[in-house]
Amino acid sequence: MSSLLPPPVLNNREWSAVAEALREADACGCAPHFFRKRNADVAADPRREAVRRFVCTTRRRRTPARDLADGLSTHGFNPAQIDAIALLSL
């Protein structure tokens, strides 16, 4: 019997972070220089930054950035939410 994942429900703050990351991905094309510039700045919200990195990397690779999923988990996202963000990012 397979276990069911919780539904991919995101709160307003999480949706806001995803929407912002998607806008930035569209605007910058998620070029590698974008991350170097972001690293030079101190991210005000590490959770938002984790979402932004996951979205941009997923877009750039055209496949879910599984290597960055742990960063989202650390910030409280469950596997269903991470899968939903990945699908939105493709």
Side-chain angles (χ1 to χ4, degrees), residues 67-89:
D67 55 320
L68 299 176
D70 285 345
L72 294 179
S73 294
T74 299
H75 290 289
F77 289 94
N78 67 47
Q81 291 171 319
I82 294 168
D83 286 344
I85 294 168
L87 286 174
L88 289 170
S89 302

Side-chain angles (χ1 to χ4, degrees), residues 11-23 45 47-49 51-52 55 77:
N11 65 33
N12 288 342
R13 183 174 167 223
E14 292 162 341
W15 276 119
S16 176
V18 172
E20 181 181 329
L22 291 169
R23 278 192 302 276
D45 186 344
R47 191 168 196 247
R48 263 183 130 81
E49 188 64 20
V51 172
R52 193 178 351 264
V55 167
F77 289 94

Side-chain angles (χ1 to χ4, degrees), residues 1-2 17 43 49 53 67 71-72 90:
M1 183 178 237
S2 65
E49 188 64 20
R53 284 180 179 276
D67 55 320
L72 294 179
L90 293 174

Side-chain angles (χ1 to χ4, degrees), residues 25-39:
D26 289 339
C28 74
C30 293
H33 73 275
F34 175 71
F35 289 124
R36 283 193 295 276
K37 182 178 182 231
R38 295 283 309 164
N39 286 340

